[in-house]
Amino acid sequence: AAPRPARSGASASAPGTAAPAGTWSAPTISLPTAVPPAGPLLDGAARRWGDQDARLHRLEGRLRDGAPVTLELQRANRPVLWPVAALGGRAGLPRALTGPEEDRLARLATRMRAQGGAVATLTAPVAPGRAVAGTGWLSWTAQAAYLSVGGTGAWPGRTLRRYDAAGAWSAPATGDPAAPPPLPPPRTGYAWHHRPPDADDADDVDLLLVAALRVGAATERTARPATRIRGDRLADRAVDVIEVDAERGTLRCWIDRSGLLRRLELRTRLGTYAQLDLAPGPVPALPPVSPSPARPRAPR
């Protein structure tokens, strides 16, 4: 990976004011649980075959789950390598943000709240060769998200997931995982399980959805390292892919030229990228599934 450009003189700015020249400021983005960096692909020692020019031709070892693996390098056959979204997409030339890019990132939270919410489409690799998908809504006005998530072979069947300030609620459900979740969220006939916002068992889907809500919840600008990874296109829109060093992980924000977030990527525990595509606009009401445990009802 290319080294990140050096920055100097970063400082915080007050809301609604432009950042001083040579600085970067953006909303604070934090993740509820630490996301450890991806470890080595092979577990333990590996056997390597090399030639006199120190070029690798064969590699044998075991994956972290114990499965044996053999890698043969055919150096005479060099096909075109197509970028894979789950592995970070095509390569770019990381650089510091320009003034307009800094401004769009700094004003991201305000612009997303002005949109109210977004239709959300989730794609998250959870294991080698397996991924889950989801669809639903995210509301920055209500600070809530509600999705139907599932995938054959990864999480059999369908799970309804709702997020708010009190944490995450999930319940197994029937039906097509690719279909939007039922509205309003059903309160009876479903075994809803609650996890607090900082639960140790939060998975990558939880981390990504909570991070997306916090993007729109930020109320102040805080100096944070950020790098423009590359320019790209999404839904026929030109976007800047900007990587932000959050407090507990790394996020990639796909921001269009109008300053709206179109995709949020999170580097998972597997070392891949989970993606949340966003279509900003009005969303239906997302009522809670039960009274919040953090706000018990007052006795009569």
Side-chain angles (χ1 to χ4, degrees):
R4 292 187 176 181
R7 300 175 182 81
S8 62
S11 61
S13 302
T17 62
T23 67
W24 179 84
S25 58
T28 299
I29 301 174
S30 61
L31 300 184
T33 301
V35 180
L41 177 64
L42 298 180
D43 184 17
R47 300 180 65 185
R48 297 173 174 82
W49 282 255
D51 59 22
Q52 294 181 349
D53 295 324
R55 296 183 302 177
L56 182 67
H57 288 264
R58 185 176 182 178
L59 177 70
E60 288 185 355
R62 291 186 176 274
L63 299 176
R64 283 175 286 176
D65 61 1
V69 61
T70 300
L71 177 66
E72 297 276 359
L73 300 181
Q74 303 293 336
R75 296 189 172 275
N77 182 17
R78 297 186 178 183
V80 176
L81 300 180
W82 298 101
V84 178
L87 300 179
R90 62 183 179 84
L93 295 175
R95 61 164 173 77
L97 304 185
T98 64
E101 293 162 356
E102 288 181 348
D103 182 71
R104 286 194 289 267
L105 183 58
R107 300 178 186 274
L108 182 61
T110 301
R111 286 174 172 154
M112 299 315 292
R113 287 197 299 270
Q115 293 294 313
V119 176
T121 304
L122 170 74
T123 303
V126 295
R130 298 184 297 174
V132 297
T135 185
W137 305 275
L138 186 150
S139 172
W140 289 290
T141 303
Q143 276 299 291
Y146 179 43
L147 283 86
S148 169
V149 179
T152 58
W155 290 333
R158 182 190 193 193
T159 302
L160 303 182
R161 294 196 175 202
R162 190 190 182 283
Y163 300 80
D164 56 28
W169 300 81
S170 62
T174 59
D176 183 4
L183 283 171
R187 294 192 178 189
T188 60
Y190 288 77
W192 289 99
H193 171 67
H194 174 257
R195 295 187 304 280
D198 298 324
D200 293 335
D201 61 347
D203 57 28
D204 292 319
V205 174
D206 294 334
L207 297 176
L208 181 58
L209 265 296
V210 173
L213 288 176
R214 292 183 177 178
V215 166
T219 57
E220 61 181 17
R221 297 183 178 187
T222 304
R224 291 224 171 258
T227 302
R228 183 185 185 272
I229 301 299
R230 66 178 184 272
D232 214 312
R233 295 194 67 83
L234 185 64
D236 293 329
R237 291 182 176 87
V239 297
D240 297 302
V241 182
I242 298 176
E243 189 171 271
V244 179
D245 288 340
E247 291 181 356
R248 301 180 183 178
T250 300
L251 296 172
R252 286 187 175 182
C253 302
W254 295 49
I255 304 174
D256 67 17
R257 300 304 160 80
S258 68
L260 295 180
L261 182 66
R262 297 291 175 174
R263 173 180 287 175
L264 189 68
E265 289 184 320
L266 168 71
R267 186 170 177 85
T268 69
R269 296 176 177 88
L270 187 63
T272 57
Y273 285 89
Q275 299 175 332
L276 187 69
D277 287 337
L278 301 169
V283 298
L286 307 177
V289 298
S290 65
S292 169
R295 297 178 181 178
R297 292 179 177 177
R300 295 182 179 178

